[in-house]
Amino acid sequence: MKNNPFTHEEINLMSIYNADGTREGLIADLTEMRGYLDAEEAELRELTDSAIQKLHTITDVEFDSLELYPDF
């Protein structure tokens, strides 16, 4: 991938929910998690939406090149 479109916060979020290691699996897991968020968790909802949107715009090959390791 030429330029990583994901923010540091999105990478951390994706690394937590990347259970099966696939782009489609991560989209599904983030979508499921999003359904459990309360109204008070608007910032996390926005972060999740942004990550999901970006995941839809990259290929599986580009996804495989991401280094999804939490940095906290």
Side-chain angles (χ1 to χ4, degrees):
M1 182 175 334
K2 293 176 180 142
N3 291 322
N4 181 346
F6 299 97
T7 66
H8 178 77
E9 291 79 12
E10 290 167 341
I11 292 290
N12 281 338
L13 177 69
M14 294 188 307
S15 69
I16 294 167
Y17 287 93
N18 189 30
D20 75 354
T22 68
R23 185 177 63 87
E24 289 297 325
L26 179 54
I27 291 170
D29 290 345
L30 288 173
T31 301
E32 180 181 354
M33 176 274 290
R34 189 192 184 284
Y36 295 104
L37 297 177
D38 294 329
E40 302 84 41
E41 298 171 298
E43 187 175 329
L44 181 55
R45 181 178 290 114
E46 289 174 13
L47 180 66
T48 303
D49 289 346
S50 177
I52 291 170
Q53 181 181 23
K54 291 175 184 179
L55 284 166
H56 280 293
T57 67
I58 66 171
T59 66
D60 289 335
V61 172
E62 289 171 324
F63 175 79
D64 290 341
S65 73
L66 292 174
E67 294 185 14
L68 295 179
Y69 305 104
D71 181 25
F72 37 72

